[in-house]
Amino acid sequence: MKITDLLQIEVKKFVFLVIIYILYPAMDIVAALQLATSVDRLIEGNVLSFINYLIIATFFWTISVFFRNYANIKEQIFLQLLSKRLRTLSVGRVCDDLNNNEGIVDFSKYINMMTTDILLIEKSLGSLLKFFSIISTIIFVTLALIKFHYIIFIVATILGIVMIKIPKLFEDRIKKTTDDVSFANESLQRNITIWLKGSKVLKHFRAENMLYNISEKYSDLIKKAKVEQTKCITKSNFIVSIMNIFSQIIILVITGILSYEGKVSIGSIISVVSISGQLFNSLDEFGESYAEAISSNFLLKKYSLMEKANPKDKIILRESIKLKNLSYNYGNEQIKFPDIIFNAGGKYIISGKSGVGKTTLLNIIFGSLENYKGDIFWDDIDYKDLNLDKGISYISQDPYMFLGTIKDNIILNKEYDKNLFNEIIKISRLHDVIESLPLK
């Protein structure tokens, strides 16, 4: 996925935000021009005209402040909508891995995609929107400078081009350091998750200090990656900031000379200094925003724009499940199963010694093991031609309590009969437990 693909998800909101980010810099420039005119009128002794132009300038500045704050709220709404979509895409990737890798999934990778990476992408997208404001300021300021004198315009344009070119020199390095930060966070989450799962073993061996060692090791890795990223961005920003100061001094000197020669008014000095300040400050911010905006392109490669699969119609067993010449290989070891028929509505117990293949058989029937030999038929339909996602549920021998309500853990987001659910609660003697809880 590229950043353009992501923006197309909420393209209308994006365009609306861009318009707002273009408008408020324009209001600032119009206000600055009115201020210049008001100063000229004051010098001429026309106090009433001075007040009128000052009121107009204040009006446009007020409008600019309103748009700027309104944009902040709309931007956050926009970013959270995109973040929600990215998390949905991440869940889709998890489900694909569960189906394709026999349930073996690197969950730390996806946790990182749903947390740290999305925070970085949000920051990057915020910088992209700010980028439009900066470009808008540059364009309107440039047009305004033409009004004062063409020499001011030419010098400002040359200095501006130099400032824009500087961040591009650091582009590849910024992408590399962003990749390193993401990898370091992912490594921390993966290793901490693995070691925490074995925390009881560590406790039994009085080796809890291993958790401290892992935390310190990967915290140092994150520190190194983030420091390098900050150094790279700071170098670019430092050079641009120095160029900013240098450029504003040059414009001030040139405008002063032109005013001394009578080619521009004294009021123009105030406006040119104010407007050129906006120009070069925007170009200063351009470097930082550009660096942050491009950093998300690498992260977005982890996500896929694959649409969430529509659930298949529920398949219902009407006659039987038949096993014929079924076997499964674990390396060089082969497990053979007898030909069995499970009739619809029947209740069966599968018994046998440990290791004979009871769990393997259930996993094959459930659909989590696909590379079996032989045939399985669902109402005389070959198993490999069916989508079992809506056909079979399986309660494994490894229970797990999810963070949620008792009801959530029982129904797991499936349709259910309320009366049957309440009956099961009573049969399993959970009713009294639920009634004793503070939040039912």
Side-chain angles (χ1 to χ4, degrees), residues 233-243 284:
I233 293 174
T234 301
K235 285 178 184 177
S236 173
N237 293 343
F238 175 76
I239 297 172
V240 172
S241 296
I242 295 297
M243 191 66 192
D284 193 345

Side-chain angles (χ1 to χ4, degrees), residues 320-368:
S320 64
I321 294 176
K322 299 177 183 178
L323 313 183
K324 186 175 182 181
N325 299 324
L326 186 67
S327 66
Y328 189 84
N329 288 353
Y330 285 105
N332 295 325
E333 183 182 351
Q334 185 181 62
I335 300 175
K336 292 184 178 181
F337 303 98
D339 293 349
I340 306 173
I341 297 177
F342 298 104
N343 292 312
K347 296 179 176 65
Y348 300 88
I349 295 175
I350 299 175
S351 62
K353 296 179 181 179
S354 176
V356 298
K358 301 185 296 297
T359 302
T360 300
L361 177 60
L362 290 175
N363 282 326
I364 292 173
I365 294 174
F366 177 64
S368 59

Side-chain angles (χ1 to χ4, degrees), residues 208-240:
E208 297 96 325
N209 62 321
M210 284 297 299
L211 292 175
Y212 292 101
N213 294 341
I214 293 296
S215 175
E216 290 176 5
K217 176 183 176 180
Y218 288 98
S219 293
D220 287 342
L221 185 64
I222 292 173
K223 174 187 172 184
K224 180 181 178 182
K226 287 196 171 184
V227 168
E228 287 301 315
Q229 182 188 45
T230 304
K231 282 181 179 178
C232 186
I233 293 174
T234 301
K235 285 178 184 177
S236 173
N237 293 343
F238 175 76
I239 297 172
V240 172

